[in-house]
Structure formats: C-alpha cells, structure tokens
Amino acid sequence: ESAGVAVGAVAVVNAFGDVHDADGHVLAGARDDAGGFLHAARLLVENPHHIAALAAEQRGRNTTLAVVATNAALDRVQLNQLARAAGAALFHRIRPAGSSFDGDIVFALGAREGTPADALHVEALAIAALEEAIERGVRLAVGASGLPGLADTP
C-alpha cells in the first residue's frame, strides 16, 4: 500500500522455469540426477535438445496463474495494461517464463469507482506484490505425487 493505493496478488505456481527469490537464487525448479537444479533458462541456450526433451515430457503440465487486485479506480484499458505490466513479475522471478510450454497468465481486478491513482504507481505496486506472491507460493508449497515442496523441509 502506498499513497492510499492498495494492491494485492495471489499466484498459483507450477512453472516450467526455475523460480528465483529476490536475490536471484533458485528456490524451485527441475533437478538433475544429483539433486541440483538444472537451470532451465541456461540449458535452453547451452543444450537445447536436452531441455526440449524434458519440456516435451512436461507439455501441458506447467503454468503460473496470477491475479493482482487494487482499490484504484481503473478502466478496462488500464486494467488490461495493469495485467500486462504485472507480468514483469513473472519474468523477474521465473526463468524462463511465458514459454510455449507454459500457460502463464496474469489477471487484474480493480474498482470501477475507487481511489484515484496514477497508473504507473499502481503498476509498480502490482509488480512488487506479484513477485512476493510467487515467492510465497513456492515457499509454502507442500509436496504432491512424490515431489517435495519447500514447506516439507524443516
């Protein structure tokens, strides 16, 4: 919240790419046989055949769905732009994001009659809120189908 403008975000993260914290460290992602991270974005450049085979196995299984919501008075065009701008959070925290193997999308909600606000201010708040939501989603994830989640570790 800043200058009377509030923005919140939620994210459901099952990304194809590696999820990074604010310092750029990998929090979650595909692992090699030794348990280390594969670093998907780097592999796409250095060894595209290996990562393409991995991606083909995972086709249709990965996506990040996000919603940003604000009390700011925004029209439909501004809400569309807010969703597009908030997508920067995906690219900051998930590498790669928006690939042909993901269904990554961001929705934006706002008040038709709400707090007057500068669109750039709201966009900056939305990016920050969504970055936090992505990291929170990964840190609070519990394991499923034999795959561990970060919340499973002590």
Side-chain angles (χ1 to χ4, degrees):
E1 186 170 344
S2 171
V5 177
V7 177
V10 293
V12 178
V13 183
N14 185 26
F16 169 71
D18 299 316
V19 179
H20 296 255
D21 66 13
D23 295 323
H25 300 106
V26 177
L27 293 173
R31 293 181 180 267
D32 60 24
D33 293 337
F37 291 111
L38 285 174
H39 299 279
R42 186 181 70 223
L43 273 179
L44 281 170
V45 173
E46 295 174 1
N47 191 350
H49 301 295
H50 177 74
I51 198 74
L54 176 65
E57 291 174 19
Q58 297 297 315
R59 187 179 300 273
R61 296 183 187 173
N62 301 103
T63 193
T64 298
L65 306 173
V67 176
V68 293
T70 181
N71 66 338
L74 301 175
D75 62 29
R76 288 177 59 167
V77 172
Q78 290 170 317
L79 283 171
N80 184 44
Q81 178 55 33
L82 179 62
R84 288 172 48 115
L90 297 179
F91 293 93
H92 290 168
R93 294 301 184 97
I94 302 169
R95 298 179 205 136
S99 73
S100 56
F101 298 104
D102 290 296
D104 300 342
I105 192 163
V106 179
F107 298 96
L109 306 173
R112 187 168 277 191
E113 295 179 17
T115 304
D118 175 75
L120 288 174
H121 180 221
V122 180
E123 291 170 9
L125 292 171
I127 292 167
L130 186 49
E131 284 190 32
E132 289 178 22
I134 291 167
E135 183 171 339
R136 185 175 53 249
V138 170
R139 289 193 183 279
L140 296 176
V142 295
S145 302
L147 298 173
L150 287 182
D152 297 332
T153 57

Short mmCIF file of all heavy atoms in Angstrom, two decimals, residues 68-117:
data_model
loop_
_atom_site.label_atom_id
_atom_site.label_comp_id
_atom_site.label_asym_id
_atom_site.label_seq_id
_atom_site.Cartn_x
_atom_site.Cartn_y
_atom_site.Cartn_z
N VAL A 68 -3.79 -9.89 -9.76
CA VAL A 68 -3.47 -8.68 -8.99
C VAL A 68 -4.76 -7.90 -8.85
O VAL A 68 -5.57 -7.84 -9.78
CB VAL A 68 -2.36 -7.82 -9.64
CG1 VAL A 68 -1.03 -8.55 -9.64
CG2 VAL A 68 -2.73 -7.40 -11.06
N ALA A 69 -4.98 -7.33 -7.68
CA ALA A 69 -6.21 -6.58 -7.41
C ALA A 69 -5.85 -5.29 -6.70
O ALA A 69 -4.93 -5.24 -5.88
CB ALA A 69 -7.16 -7.40 -6.55
N THR A 70 -6.58 -4.24 -7.04
CA THR A 70 -6.30 -2.93 -6.47
C THR A 70 -7.58 -2.18 -6.12
O THR A 70 -8.63 -2.45 -6.71
CB THR A 70 -5.45 -2.07 -7.44
OG1 THR A 70 -5.18 -0.82 -6.84
CG2 THR A 70 -6.16 -1.85 -8.77
N ASN A 71 -7.47 -1.25 -5.21
CA ASN A 71 -8.58 -0.37 -4.88
C ASN A 71 -8.58 0.87 -5.77
O ASN A 71 -9.45 1.73 -5.64
CB ASN A 71 -8.53 0.04 -3.40
CG ASN A 71 -7.33 0.90 -3.06
OD1 ASN A 71 -6.32 0.90 -3.77
ND2 ASN A 71 -7.42 1.63 -1.96
N ALA A 72 -7.62 0.98 -6.67
CA ALA A 72 -7.53 2.14 -7.56
C ALA A 72 -8.64 2.10 -8.60
O ALA A 72 -9.03 1.03 -9.08
CB ALA A 72 -6.17 2.16 -8.26
N ALA A 73 -9.12 3.27 -8.96
CA ALA A 73 -10.14 3.39 -9.99
C ALA A 73 -9.47 3.28 -11.35
O ALA A 73 -8.75 4.18 -11.78
CB ALA A 73 -10.86 4.72 -9.86
N LEU A 74 -9.68 2.16 -12.03
CA LEU A 74 -9.07 1.92 -13.34
C LEU A 74 -10.14 1.47 -14.32
O LEU A 74 -11.03 0.69 -13.96
CB LEU A 74 -7.99 0.83 -13.24
CG LEU A 74 -6.82 1.09 -12.29
CD1 LEU A 74 -5.92 -0.13 -12.22
CD2 LEU A 74 -6.03 2.31 -12.73
N ASP A 75 -10.04 1.94 -15.56
CA ASP A 75 -10.98 1.49 -16.58
C ASP A 75 -10.47 0.18 -17.20
O ASP A 75 -9.41 -0.33 -16.82
CB ASP A 75 -11.22 2.58 -17.63
CG ASP A 75 -9.96 2.96 -18.41
OD1 ASP A 75 -9.06 2.11 -18.58
OD2 ASP A 75 -9.89 4.12 -18.86
N ARG A 76 -11.20 -0.35 -18.15
CA ARG A 76 -10.85 -1.65 -18.75
C ARG A 76 -9.48 -1.62 -19.42
O ARG A 76 -8.71 -2.58 -19.32
CB ARG A 76 -11.92 -2.07 -19.76
CG ARG A 76 -13.21 -2.48 -19.11
CD ARG A 76 -14.25 -2.80 -20.13
NE ARG A 76 -13.80 -3.88 -20.98
CZ ARG A 76 -14.58 -4.54 -21.81
NH1 ARG A 76 -15.85 -4.23 -21.89
NH2 ARG A 76 -14.10 -5.50 -22.55
N VAL A 77 -9.20 -0.55 -20.12
CA VAL A 77 -7.90 -0.44 -20.80
C VAL A 77 -6.78 -0.40 -19.77
O VAL A 77 -5.74 -1.07 -19.93
CB VAL A 77 -7.87 0.80 -21.72
CG1 VAL A 77 -6.48 1.02 -22.29
CG2 VAL A 77 -8.89 0.65 -22.84
N GLN A 78 -6.96 0.36 -18.70
CA GLN A 78 -5.94 0.45 -17.65
C GLN A 78 -5.77 -0.89 -16.93
O GLN A 78 -4.65 -1.26 -16.57
CB GLN A 78 -6.30 1.56 -16.67
CG GLN A 78 -6.15 2.94 -17.26
CD GLN A 78 -6.74 4.01 -16.35
OE1 GLN A 78 -7.82 3.84 -15.78
NE2 GLN A 78 -6.00 5.11 -16.21
N LEU A 79 -6.86 -1.61 -16.73
CA LEU A 79 -6.76 -2.93 -16.09
C LEU A 79 -5.99 -3.91 -16.98
O LEU A 79 -5.19 -4.70 -16.50
CB LEU A 79 -8.13 -3.50 -15.75
CG LEU A 79 -8.79 -2.91 -14.53
CD1 LEU A 79 -10.24 -3.40 -14.41
CD2 LEU A 79 -8.02 -3.27 -13.26
N ASN A 80 -6.25 -3.85 -18.28
CA ASN A 80 -5.51 -4.69 -19.22
C ASN A 80 -4.02 -4.37 -19.14
O ASN A 80 -3.18 -5.27 -19.09
CB ASN A 80 -6.03 -4.49 -20.63
CG ASN A 80 -5.36 -5.42 -21.62
OD1 ASN A 80 -5.18 -6.60 -21.35
ND2 ASN A 80 -4.98 -4.88 -22.76
N GLN A 81 -3.69 -3.09 -19.12
CA GLN A 81 -2.29 -2.69 -19.02
C GLN A 81 -1.70 -3.09 -17.67
O GLN A 81 -0.53 -3.48 -17.59
CB GLN A 81 -2.14 -1.18 -19.24
CG GLN A 81 -0.71 -0.68 -19.11
CD GLN A 81 0.28 -1.41 -20.00
OE1 GLN A 81 -0.04 -1.85 -21.10
NE2 GLN A 81 1.51 -1.57 -19.53
N LEU A 82 -2.50 -3.02 -16.61
CA LEU A 82 -2.02 -3.43 -15.29
C LEU A 82 -1.63 -4.92 -15.31
O LEU A 82 -0.58 -5.29 -14.79
CB LEU A 82 -3.09 -3.17 -14.23
CG LEU A 82 -2.73 -3.59 -12.80
CD1 LEU A 82 -1.51 -2.82 -12.29
CD2 LEU A 82 -3.92 -3.36 -11.88
N ALA A 83 -2.46 -5.74 -15.92
CA ALA A 83 -2.15 -7.17 -16.01
C ALA A 83 -0.87 -7.39 -16.82
O ALA A 83 -0.01 -8.19 -16.44
CB ALA A 83 -3.31 -7.94 -16.64
N ARG A 84 -0.73 -6.67 -17.93
CA ARG A 84 0.48 -6.80 -18.75
C ARG A 84 1.72 -6.37 -17.97
O ARG A 84 2.74 -7.05 -18.00
CB ARG A 84 0.35 -5.98 -20.02
CG ARG A 84 -0.62 -6.57 -21.03
CD ARG A 84 -0.85 -5.61 -22.19
NE ARG A 84 0.39 -5.10 -22.72
CZ ARG A 84 0.83 -5.34 -23.95
NH1 ARG A 84 0.13 -6.09 -24.76
NH2 ARG A 84 1.96 -4.82 -24.35
N ALA A 85 1.61 -5.23 -17.28
CA ALA A 85 2.76 -4.73 -16.51
C ALA A 85 3.11 -5.68 -15.38
O ALA A 85 4.29 -5.95 -15.13
CB ALA A 85 2.46 -3.34 -15.97
N ALA A 86 2.10 -6.20 -14.69
CA ALA A 86 2.36 -7.12 -13.58
C ALA A 86 3.05 -8.39 -14.07
O ALA A 86 3.77 -9.04 -13.30
CB ALA A 86 1.05 -7.46 -12.86
N GLY A 87 2.87 -8.72 -15.34
CA GLY A 87 3.56 -9.87 -15.91
C GLY A 87 5.07 -9.77 -15.80
O GLY A 87 5.77 -10.78 -15.86
N ALA A 88 5.59 -8.56 -15.62
CA ALA A 88 7.03 -8.40 -15.42
C ALA A 88 7.49 -9.20 -14.22
O ALA A 88 8.62 -9.71 -14.20
CB ALA A 88 7.39 -6.93 -15.24
N ALA A 89 6.64 -9.35 -13.22
CA ALA A 89 6.99 -10.14 -12.03
C ALA A 89 7.27 -11.59 -12.41
O ALA A 89 8.18 -12.22 -11.83
CB ALA A 89 5.87 -10.07 -10.99
N LEU A 90 6.52 -12.12 -13.37
CA LEU A 90 6.78 -13.49 -13.81
C LEU A 90 8.18 -13.61 -14.37
O LEU A 90 8.92 -14.55 -14.07
CB LEU A 90 5.76 -13.92 -14.87
CG LEU A 90 4.30 -13.98 -14.47
CD1 LEU A 90 3.45 -14.40 -15.67
CD2 LEU A 90 4.07 -14.92 -13.31
N PHE A 91 8.57 -12.63 -15.19
CA PHE A 91 9.88 -12.68 -15.83
C PHE A 91 11.01 -12.37 -14.86
O PHE A 91 12.14 -12.81 -15.07
CB PHE A 91 9.90 -11.75 -17.04
CG PHE A 91 8.98 -12.23 -18.14
CD1 PHE A 91 7.68 -11.77 -18.21
CD2 PHE A 91 9.41 -13.16 -19.05
CE1 PHE A 91 6.82 -12.24 -19.20
CE2 PHE A 91 8.57 -13.64 -20.04
CZ PHE A 91 7.26 -13.17 -20.12
N HIS A 92 10.72 -11.64 -13.80
CA HIS A 92 11.74 -11.39 -12.76
C HIS A 92 11.98 -12.65 -11.94
O HIS A 92 13.12 -12.94 -11.57
CB HIS A 92 11.29 -10.29 -11.80
CG HIS A 92 11.27 -8.93 -12.39
ND1 HIS A 92 10.67 -7.88 -11.77
CD2 HIS A 92 11.77 -8.44 -13.56
CE1 HIS A 92 10.79 -6.79 -12.50
NE2 HIS A 92 11.46 -7.12 -13.60
N ARG A 93 10.93 -13.38 -11.63
CA ARG A 93 11.04 -14.48 -10.67
C ARG A 93 11.05 -15.86 -11.28
O ARG A 93 11.46 -16.82 -10.63
CB ARG A 93 9.90 -14.39 -9.65
CG ARG A 93 9.96 -13.17 -8.75
CD ARG A 93 11.28 -13.16 -7.97
NE ARG A 93 11.33 -12.07 -7.04
CZ ARG A 93 11.02 -12.18 -5.75
NH1 ARG A 93 10.68 -13.33 -5.24
NH2 ARG A 93 11.09 -11.13 -4.98
N ILE A 94 10.60 -16.01 -12.52
CA ILE A 94 10.53 -17.33 -13.16
C ILE A 94 11.31 -17.26 -14.46
O ILE A 94 11.04 -16.43 -15.31
CB ILE A 94 9.08 -17.75 -13.45
CG1 ILE A 94 8.27 -17.77 -12.15
CG2 ILE A 94 9.05 -19.11 -14.14
CD1 ILE A 94 6.77 -17.92 -12.37
N ARG A 95 12.31 -18.16 -14.58
CA ARG A 95 13.16 -18.12 -15.77
C ARG A 95 13.31 -19.52 -16.36
O ARG A 95 13.84 -20.38 -15.67
CB ARG A 95 14.54 -17.55 -15.41
CG ARG A 95 14.43 -16.13 -14.91
CD ARG A 95 15.78 -15.59 -14.53
NE ARG A 95 15.59 -14.52 -13.54
CZ ARG A 95 16.31 -14.38 -12.46
NH1 ARG A 95 17.29 -15.20 -12.18
NH2 ARG A 95 16.06 -13.40 -11.63
N PRO A 96 12.87 -19.74 -17.58
CA PRO A 96 12.12 -18.84 -18.42
C PRO A 96 10.64 -18.81 -18.01
O PRO A 96 10.14 -19.75 -17.38
CB PRO A 96 12.26 -19.45 -19.81
CG PRO A 96 12.39 -20.92 -19.56
CD PRO A 96 13.14 -21.04 -18.25
N ALA A 97 9.98 -17.74 -18.37
CA ALA A 97 8.53 -17.61 -18.18
C ALA A 97 7.91 -17.34 -19.53
O ALA A 97 8.57 -16.89 -20.47
CB ALA A 97 8.23 -16.47 -17.21
N GLY A 98 6.63 -17.60 -19.63
CA GLY A 98 5.92 -17.30 -20.87
C GLY A 98 6.36 -18.13 -22.05
O GLY A 98 6.16 -17.72 -23.19
N SER A 99 6.94 -19.30 -21.80
CA SER A 99 7.41 -20.13 -22.91
C SER A 99 6.23 -20.85 -23.56
O SER A 99 5.10 -20.81 -23.07
CB SER A 99 8.42 -21.18 -22.40
OG SER A 99 7.74 -22.19 -21.68
N SER A 100 6.51 -21.50 -24.66
CA SER A 100 5.45 -22.25 -25.35
C SER A 100 5.02 -23.49 -24.56
O SER A 100 4.06 -24.15 -24.93
CB SER A 100 5.91 -22.64 -26.75
OG SER A 100 7.11 -23.38 -26.69
N PHE A 101 5.71 -23.78 -23.45
CA PHE A 101 5.35 -24.92 -22.62
C PHE A 101 4.55 -24.50 -21.38
O PHE A 101 4.20 -25.34 -20.57
CB PHE A 101 6.61 -25.68 -22.18
CG PHE A 101 7.35 -26.25 -23.34
CD1 PHE A 101 8.52 -25.66 -23.79
CD2 PHE A 101 6.87 -27.35 -24.01
CE1 PHE A 101 9.20 -26.16 -24.88
CE2 PHE A 101 7.54 -27.86 -25.11
CZ PHE A 101 8.70 -27.27 -25.54
N ASP A 102 4.33 -23.21 -21.23
CA ASP A 102 3.61 -22.70 -20.07
C ASP A 102 2.27 -22.12 -20.49
O ASP A 102 2.09 -21.71 -21.63
CB ASP A 102 4.39 -21.56 -19.40
CG ASP A 102 5.64 -22.02 -18.70
OD1 ASP A 102 5.51 -22.79 -17.74
OD2 ASP A 102 6.73 -21.61 -19.12
N GLY A 103 1.38 -22.01 -19.53
CA GLY A 103 0.13 -21.30 -19.74
C GLY A 103 0.09 -20.07 -18.85
O GLY A 103 -0.95 -19.71 -18.33
N ASP A 104 1.25 -19.44 -18.66
CA ASP A 104 1.36 -18.31 -17.73
C ASP A 104 0.41 -17.17 -18.11
O ASP A 104 0.35 -16.77 -19.27
CB ASP A 104 2.79 -17.77 -17.72
CG ASP A 104 3.80 -18.80 -17.27
OD1 ASP A 104 3.40 -19.81 -16.66
OD2 ASP A 104 5.00 -18.59 -17.53
N ILE A 105 -0.31 -16.66 -17.10
CA ILE A 105 -1.24 -15.57 -17.35
C ILE A 105 -1.45 -14.77 -16.07
O ILE A 105 -1.37 -15.33 -14.97
CB ILE A 105 -2.59 -16.07 -17.90
CG1 ILE A 105 -3.43 -14.91 -18.42
CG2 ILE A 105 -3.32 -16.91 -16.88
CD1 ILE A 105 -4.55 -15.33 -19.34
N VAL A 106 -1.70 -13.48 -16.23
CA VAL A 106 -1.98 -12.59 -15.10
C VAL A 106 -3.31 -11.90 -15.38
O VAL A 106 -3.52 -11.36 -16.47
CB VAL A 106 -0.88 -11.53 -14.92
CG1 VAL A 106 -1.23 -10.60 -13.75
CG2 VAL A 106 0.48 -12.17 -14.71
N PHE A 107 -4.20 -11.91 -14.40
CA PHE A 107 -5.47 -11.19 -14.46
C PHE A 107 -5.39 -10.00 -13.52
O PHE A 107 -4.70 -10.06 -12.51
CB PHE A 107 -6.63 -12.10 -14.03
CG PHE A 107 -6.82 -13.30 -14.91
CD1 PHE A 107 -6.25 -14.52 -14.58
CD2 PHE A 107 -7.56 -13.20 -16.08
CE1 PHE A 107 -6.43 -15.63 -15.39
CE2 PHE A 107 -7.74 -14.31 -16.90
CZ PHE A 107 -7.17 -15.52 -16.56
N ALA A 108 -6.12 -8.94 -13.85
CA ALA A 108 -6.14 -7.76 -12.99
C ALA A 108 -7.58 -7.40 -12.63
O ALA A 108 -8.47 -7.46 -13.48
CB ALA A 108 -5.47 -6.57 -13.69
N LEU A 109 -7.77 -7.04 -11.38
CA LEU A 109 -9.07 -6.61 -10.87
C LEU A 109 -8.92 -5.23 -10.26
O LEU A 109 -7.92 -4.95 -9.61
CB LEU A 109 -9.58 -7.57 -9.79
CG LEU A 109 -9.63 -9.06 -10.15
CD1 LEU A 109 -9.98 -9.87 -8.92
CD2 LEU A 109 -10.64 -9.29 -11.25
N GLY A 110 -9.92 -4.40 -10.45
CA GLY A 110 -9.87 -3.05 -9.88
C GLY A 110 -11.25 -2.55 -9.59
O GLY A 110 -12.25 -3.13 -10.02
N ALA A 111 -11.30 -1.45 -8.88
CA ALA A 111 -12.56 -0.83 -8.53
C ALA A 111 -12.98 0.12 -9.65
O ALA A 111 -12.18 0.91 -10.13
CB ALA A 111 -12.41 -0.06 -7.23
N ARG A 112 -14.24 0.02 -10.07
CA ARG A 112 -14.73 0.94 -11.10
C ARG A 112 -14.74 2.36 -10.53
O ARG A 112 -14.40 3.31 -11.20
CB ARG A 112 -16.11 0.53 -11.55
CG ARG A 112 -16.60 1.34 -12.73
CD ARG A 112 -17.80 0.73 -13.31
NE ARG A 112 -17.33 -0.32 -14.22
CZ ARG A 112 -18.11 -0.93 -15.07
NH1 ARG A 112 -19.37 -0.63 -15.14
NH2 ARG A 112 -17.63 -1.85 -15.86
N GLU A 113 -15.15 2.45 -9.30
CA GLU A 113 -15.11 3.73 -8.58
C GLU A 113 -14.28 3.48 -7.33
O GLU A 113 -14.71 2.79 -6.42
CB GLU A 113 -16.51 4.19 -8.21
CG GLU A 113 -17.37 4.52 -9.40
CD GLU A 113 -18.77 4.94 -9.00
OE1 GLU A 113 -18.98 5.28 -7.83
OE2 GLU A 113 -19.63 4.91 -9.89
N GLY A 114 -13.10 4.00 -7.31
CA GLY A 114 -12.21 3.75 -6.19
C GLY A 114 -11.27 4.92 -6.00
O GLY A 114 -11.55 6.04 -6.38
N THR A 115 -10.13 4.61 -5.45
CA THR A 115 -9.11 5.60 -5.16
C THR A 115 -8.49 6.11 -6.47
O THR A 115 -8.02 5.29 -7.27
CB THR A 115 -8.02 4.99 -4.27
OG1 THR A 115 -8.63 4.48 -3.09
CG2 THR A 115 -6.95 6.00 -3.91
N PRO A 116 -8.48 7.42 -6.68
CA PRO A 116 -7.78 7.94 -7.88
C PRO A 116 -6.28 7.64 -7.75
O PRO A 116 -5.71 7.78 -6.67
CB PRO A 116 -8.03 9.45 -7.83
CG PRO A 116 -9.11 9.66 -6.82
CD PRO A 116 -9.10 8.48 -5.90
N ALA A 117 -5.68 7.20 -8.84
CA ALA A 117 -4.26 6.83 -8.77
C ALA A 117 -3.60 6.96 -10.13
O ALA A 117 -4.25 6.82 -11.16
CB ALA A 117 -4.13 5.40 -8.27
#
